[in-house]
Amino acid sequence: MGEPLRIGMVGAGKISGAYLDTLERLENVRLTAVTDLDASRAKAVAARVPGVEVAGSVAELVVRSDVDAVLNLTVPAVHAEVARVALAVGKHVYGEKPLTATREEAGALLASAAADGLRIGCAPDTVLGTGVQTSRKAVDDGLIGRPVAATAFMTTAGHERWHPDPEFYYRPGGGPLLDMGPYYLTALVHLLGPVVRVTGAASRPRAEREIGSGPRAGERFAVEVDTHVTGILEHAGGALTTLVMSFDIHAARLPRIEVHGTEGSLSVPDPNGFDGPVGLHPANGAWQTLPVSAGRVGAGRGEGLSDLADAIATGRPHRASAEVARHVLDVMLTLLDSARAGASLPVESTCTRPDPVALRP
């Protein structure tokens, strides 16, 4: 193994803790610097991880000689801006989802990276775990025959119930589709391939929400995006997915993802996690739990960054790629466009289905 990829972290908010838990045990990446608008949060990361230094700004962090790649954990509205700054000085980028807020920003980032031989990776990397990868292997091995349909449901009453500063979930770039949709749609791309056409409908039942926890509990804020989105996705291979993403449902008993084929059905675990039981129901059988057969065992947030580092070292494509993230973003935005237009719309982008992940303890 060569030298680890040196990482500069931009953003030390709530999600950074999950990344730190993973980065501390990975051998091919090493955190070297951190910056945050709240200097105290950056200092807390530096105190936790030996050898990490605090940078005073994004501009200061990206030009450091001990930073090879920038881990972008900022809010969605500035994902593109931070990535542009990093790419401009020759640094690879791995960011939280969504890749950007617009198709134009995503296209510009991919073009910039390609021109300079740089890599852009993007969450979610949950698809690299044993849950989605064991499910994918079952599909690829023909255990359900030819896939004909799938369902994907993410239902909750809203993140303001638990997040102390939830406004960004309800501003452009947020909402249930752009916030949680990447987990489900990325999993569906791994399972069934890219999407070619969508039909959508959406609503915004409440104009305001109330913060339910933390020091600002009781404060109200405006809702600027649709909070219940439903639609039909037509995959290139012919399968049809029914999708529901909602911040307006208080309780439900819906499955996360199911895939149905000519010879059986598959129950896929929560794509917001890395593992979980995979259920198979053959056409003439009964439900059974499949043994773990693919994916990274015990994976956590940041596995995609590790895969990116390995891909850079070996010259292969990385799996949690900007190409997939751009396509997922395009699918989501086209679904919202379809809801506004009241008509089915083609998805202009596509992507290569990423390589499967072999079982890796």
Side-chain angles (χ1 to χ4, degrees):
M1 181 180 294
E3 292 297 315
L5 191 71
R6 299 169 298 180
I7 307 301
M9 178 189 289
V10 178
K14 192 174 184 68
I15 193 62
S16 67
Y19 275 85
L20 292 174
D21 290 342
T22 304
L23 293 178
E24 288 173 345
R25 62 176 175 74
L26 294 173
E27 297 182 356
N28 63 343
V29 294
R30 178 166 60 88
L31 188 64
T32 58
V34 61
T35 190
D36 191 278
L37 292 174
D38 183 341
S40 66
R41 298 198 303 196
K43 290 176 182 177
V45 172
R48 171 176 170 173
V49 185
V52 171
E53 296 186 7
V54 174
S57 65
V58 174
E60 180 182 320
L61 180 139
V62 299
V63 297
R64 290 178 62 101
S65 60
D66 62 350
V67 170
D68 303 312
V70 171
L71 174 58
N72 184 2
L73 302 183
T74 56
V75 296
V78 296
H79 283 179
E81 178 184 352
V82 172
R84 278 196 302 268
V85 171
L87 292 171
V89 294
K91 303 301 170 73
H92 305 291
V93 177
Y94 183 91
E96 257 302 317
K97 48 75 190 167
L99 178 63
T100 60
T102 69
R103 300 178 182 87
E104 293 74 20
E105 289 174 331
L109 290 182
L110 266 70
S112 175
D116 295 328
L118 297 171
R119 304 275 192 129
I120 304 177
C122 187
D125 53 3
T126 48
V127 291
L128 306 182
T130 57
V132 170
Q133 290 298 318
T134 294
S135 301
R136 173 177 175 162
K137 190 173 188 305
V139 172
D140 290 349
D141 288 349
L143 299 188
I144 62 169
R146 177 175 59 83
V148 297
T151 57
F153 301 108
M154 192 295 300
T155 60
T156 177
H159 293 346
E160 73 276 11
R161 294 177 305 160
W162 57 268
H163 199 292
D165 299 294
E167 287 93 335
F168 71 93
Y169 288 114
Y170 297 89
R171 292 171 178 164
L177 184 61
L178 287 172
D179 175 48
M180 297 299 294
Y183 296 107
Y184 290 76
L185 289 166
T186 304
L188 289 165
V189 167
H190 276 255
L191 293 165
L192 300 172
V195 176
V196 297
R197 178 174 288 274
V198 299
T199 305
S203 65
R204 192 181 312 177
R206 285 178 278 171
E208 289 186 332
R209 298 265 177 154
E210 182 177 310
I211 299 174
S213 65
R216 300 174 59 211
E219 289 187 28
R220 300 188 69 81
F221 60 92
V223 175
E224 302 176 29
V225 296
D226 291 328
T227 53
H228 185 94
V229 182
T230 185
I232 304 296
L233 317 177
E234 302 175 31
H235 294 268
L240 302 178
T241 291
T242 301
L243 178 79
V244 175
M245 299 279 121
S246 184
F247 284 168
D248 292 297
I249 295 178
H250 291 282
R253 293 178 176 177
L254 298 166
R256 301 295 188 176
I257 295 178
E258 290 183 345
V259 183
H260 307 285
T262 55
E263 303 299 329
S265 295
L266 193 70
S267 174
V268 182
D270 185 354
N272 192 21
F274 286 85
D275 50 23
V278 177
L280 172 69
H281 192 299
N284 296 312
W287 282 109
Q288 57 186 272
T289 300
L290 293 178
V292 171
S293 60
R296 297 186 176 211
V297 177
R301 311 275 174 174
E303 294 291 343
L305 188 57
S306 176
D307 183 76
L308 174 67
D310 181 66
I312 292 171
T314 60
R316 64 166 174 82
H318 55 289
R319 295 179 175 90
S321 70
E323 180 195 22
V324 171
R326 176 177 61 174
H327 178 62
V328 166
L329 175 67
D330 192 19
V331 171
M332 295 188 295
L333 294 178
T334 305
L335 191 62
L336 294 175
D337 290 343
S338 171
R340 286 188 286 268
S344 298
L345 294 176
V347 177
E348 299 297 336
S349 69
T350 190
C351 67
T352 302
R353 192 179 179 218
D355 289 339
V357 181
L359 185 61
R360 178 175 167 180

